[in-house]
Amino acid sequence: MTRKDRTEGIFSRREVLDEGERKQYYFLQLKELLQYAYRYSEDVKKRFDRVQFNVDKFNTLSDLKHIPIIKKKELIFLQSMGPRLGGLLTKDLGELRRIFLSPGPIFDPEDRADDYWGWTEGFYSAGFRAGDVAQVTFNYHLVPAGLMFEEPLRNLGCAVVPAGPGNTVGQIEIMQKLRTTGYVGTPSYLMHLAQKAEEMGLSLRKDLFLEVAFVTGEKFSESMRSVLEKKFDAIIRQGYGTADIGAIGYECFHKTGLHLSNRAFVEICHPDTGLPLKDGEVGEIIVTAFNKTYPLIRLATGDLSYIENSPCPCGRTSPRLGNIVGRVDTTARIKGMFVYSHQVEQVMANFEEVKRWQIEVTNVGGVDEMKLTIEVTSFEREDDLLHSFRQRIKLRPNLNIVTPGTLPAQIRPIEDKRIWD
Ligand SMILES: [Zn+2]
C-alpha cells in the first residue's frame, strides 16, 4: 500500500455537505432527537419541563440554548436515581450490547447500532485503510476505550490485535512479527514504545512497519507529533471524544484542527452562562450526540476550545475545533475576565528569557489581585511584558521577578487562592 492512499478520499457524504445542507441536517437530527428523548427519557422530560422547554417549538438551531447544560459530574448522581440509569436511558439495560464503567464512577451504555461510537469516518480520515493490521493498546477491561476503537477498524476492513495496555516488550515483538501497520493508543505510549524499541537495538523504520497511528486521550503537541512521525516514518493523527459520547472530532491529513464528527451537534459556550459563543471565541465544548438510546442533550465536556471555520484543503466542510486549549477547571475568571493559561503562554512565547511563570490570584478584602511571577536571570523588558499581557488578557498583573529555581518544582499555571464566603 502506498502512502498516497492514506492521504486522500472521504468516508461519508455527510463530511462534504454545504453550509445550508449541514444546518438542515443538524436541525432535523436535533428535532427528532429532542422529540424522542422527551417522550422516552424520564430525565429529559423532567429537565425540559423544569424550564418549560417546548419540543414542538424547536424551530431553529439557536433554540437549543434554552435547554440547560448538563455537567459530566451530574451524571454520577443522576445515574443512581433509579432504573434505566436514572431515566437517562430510553430503553432497558438488557436491550443494550454492553455497559461499561468509567472513572467517576459513570456507566457508559453501548447500544447495538452499527458504528455506535461514531469513529469510523475519523479513522478513515486519519489514514486507516482496509488490509491494515492495527494494534489497539487501549484498555479493554470495563472501560469503553479498547472496544470503542475496535469498532471503526472492523468497519474499515482492518485486522485488530487487541493488545491492551502494558507489556511493552511483548507489544514490540508483536509489531515486528505481524508487521503491524497501524497503532491505536495514547501518544505517550507510542513514544514509550519507540524509546523501548530503540533501547532493544531496533530500527523503527526498518524493523517495524508502522504506517499510520490514531492517538487520543491526552494532549498531543505538534513537537511530539513531528518527533514520532520522523522516528516511525508514519502518519499520526489524533481524535477527540469522551467515554459517554464517543467521537466528537478528528484530524485529517492536513492537520488543520479537529473536524467535527457528523454524529453530533457541537456548541462552544461561555462556561458560566452556557450561552453559545461566536466562531473563534474560546469556550467550553458542549456536545449533543444524535443518540436516541442515551440522549445526553447539551453535555458539558469541561474542555475548552474554539471553532475554526475556514475551508480545509481535504474537502471536508465540517467546522473544526481548534486545539483543546485547556480545562474549564484550570481557568480562572479574574475581575470578570477569563484568564486561560494558553493565552498567558502565548504572551510568554515572546519573552524567551522567562524560564517559568505562574499566576497567583488572591482576593484579600474581596478584591481580586493577580500576581504574575516570572523566573529570569535578568530582565529588562518589564514594560513590554506588561503591555502585551494587557493587550491579550485585558488585565494588568502585579509583576514579581524571581531568580530561576524559586518557584516550586510542580506548579499549576494559574493558582487560584481566592477564598469565597
Ligand atoms: Zn481537513
Side-chain angles (χ1 to χ4, degrees):
M1 196 178 292
T2 63
R3 177 67 45 94
K4 200 168 189 306
D5 288 330
R6 299 186 185 278
T7 67
E8 285 176 359
I10 281 163
F11 183 76
S12 150
R13 211 195 77 78
R14 288 205 184 118
E15 293 174 87
V16 293
L17 297 177
D18 68 37
E19 205 186 327
E21 289 172 324
R22 180 169 303 280
K23 282 209 170 115
Q24 182 68 2
Y25 166 73
Y26 284 149
F27 175 74
L28 293 174
Q29 290 287 328
L30 282 171
K31 178 106 186 164
E32 207 180 311
L33 176 76
L34 297 181
Q35 282 172 333
Y36 189 92
Y38 183 76
R39 192 159 168 201
Y40 295 105
S41 156
E42 280 175 45
D43 174 72
V44 169
K45 182 173 184 337
K46 261 191 265 173
R47 269 199 294 146
F48 287 10
D49 286 348
R50 203 178 302 141
V51 295
Q52 296 175 316
F53 178 80
N54 184 344
V55 179
D56 296 325
K57 289 194 179 148
F58 178 74
N59 290 324
T60 73
L61 286 176
S62 69
D63 288 340
L64 199 65
K65 65 173 180 283
H66 302 301
I67 301 173
I69 277 164
I70 181 164
K71 299 265 180 203
K72 200 176 152 91
K73 63 181 174 208
E74 288 175 61
L75 294 179
I76 305 169
F77 169 73
L78 287 172
Q79 284 189 344
S80 63
M81 294 300 286
R84 293 186 165 188
L85 299 181
L88 289 161
L89 275 179
T90 58
K91 52 169 77 169
D92 292 330
L93 288 168
E95 295 175 74
L96 302 172
R97 180 160 52 202
R98 297 188 181 98
I99 302 147
F100 298 101
L101 184 62
S102 288
I106 295 175
F107 290 107
D108 304 310
E110 178 187 303
D111 204 357
R112 296 169 193 262
D114 279 346
D115 201 21
Y116 176 81
W117 299 105
W119 283 110
T120 306
E121 60 188 13
F123 271 58
Y124 190 89
S125 178
F128 283 80
R129 295 293 182 268
D132 274 324
V133 175
Q135 203 152 320
V136 177
T137 64
F138 278 116
N139 200 341
Y140 278 76
H141 180 71
L142 267 183
V143 296
L147 288 159
M148 180 191 280
F149 294 119
E150 207 176 292
E151 187 182 74
L153 294 164
R154 199 170 51 221
N155 291 343
L156 290 176
C158 309
V160 173
V161 184
N167 184 17
T168 307
V169 173
Q171 300 252 16
I172 293 165
E173 283 168 6
I174 294 169
M175 290 172 83
Q176 254 187 303
K177 287 179 186 162
L178 296 181
R179 300 190 161 224
T180 300
T181 51
Y183 166 90
V184 178
T186 61
S188 63
Y189 192 61
L190 185 58
M191 186 61 94
H192 183 63
L193 279 170
Q195 284 160 354
K196 196 84 195 168
E198 283 169 341
E199 272 171 41
M200 291 160 68
L202 298 176
S203 152
L204 299 179
R205 287 172 173 235
K206 285 189 191 132
D207 299 318
L208 299 182
F209 305 88
L210 206 64
E211 291 183 26
V212 62
F214 174 91
V215 297
T216 188
E218 289 172 350
K219 188 173 164 56
F220 183 46
S221 66
E222 282 309 319
S223 59
M224 191 170 185
R225 186 200 320 260
S226 87
V227 169
L228 285 169
E229 286 197 328
K230 271 193 208 113
K231 275 182 186 286
F232 285 104
D233 188 24
I235 301 170
I236 303 176
R237 294 293 175 271
Q238 65 178 327
Y240 168 71
T242 73
D244 331 79
I245 284 175
I248 297 173
Y250 49 84
E251 289 181 330
C252 67
F253 183 69
H254 300 276
K255 301 182 281 191
T256 50
L258 299 142
H259 282 284
L260 288 177
S261 163
N262 292 288
R263 58 193 292 276
F265 182 68
V266 172
E267 304 162 272
I268 298 293
C269 297
H270 193 289
D272 278 356
T273 62
L275 291 175
L277 298 170
K278 290 196 205 87
D279 287 357
E281 291 184 335
V282 172
E284 185 170 14
I285 303 170
I286 307 292
V287 188
T288 304
F290 309 136
N291 179 343
K292 287 184 186 163
T293 303
Y294 189 44
L296 298 174
I297 293 158
R298 301 197 84 208
L299 182 74
T301 59
D303 292 319
L304 295 165
S305 187
Y306 56 93
I307 294 286
E308 169 70 63
N309 231 334
S310 57
C312 183
C314 75
R316 288 176 182 82
T317 53
S318 42
R320 303 183 299 280
L321 291 175
N323 256 329
I324 306 302
V325 297
R327 292 279 306 167
V328 169
D329 43 22
T330 59
T331 304
R333 204 171 66 156
I334 303 163
K335 295 181 177 170
M337 305 295 300
F338 280 101
V339 177
Y340 301 105
S341 56
H342 77 279
Q343 288 184 318
V344 183
E345 217 147 309
Q346 280 165 353
V347 173
M348 294 303 171
N350 298 317
F351 299 87
E352 57 288 338
E353 63 268 47
V354 174
K355 305 282 178 250
R356 294 200 307 156
W357 59 268
Q358 185 185 37
I359 283 178
E360 198 182 288
V361 199
T362 53
N363 63 345
V364 182
V367 180
D368 287 350
E369 284 288 342
M370 173 169 45
K371 183 170 81 178
L372 170 65
T373 302
I374 55 170
E375 283 190 349
V376 278
T377 323
S378 72
F379 195 58
E380 279 156 17
R381 296 201 283 161
E382 246 177 81
D383 289 343
D384 259 9
L385 176 64
L386 288 172
H387 178 74
S388 35
F389 194 96
R390 201 164 49 198
Q391 281 238 306
R392 179 121 208 133
I393 293 145
K394 315 289 177 214
L395 290 169
R396 188 191 162 88
N398 299 320
L399 192 58
N400 176 30
I401 302 172
V402 297
T403 51
T406 311
L407 287 168
Q410 295 288 329
I411 46 169
R412 289 164 186 255
I414 300 176
E415 186 69 66
D416 197 342
K417 292 189 169 169
R418 285 175 292 186
I419 297 158
W420 311 97
D421 293 326

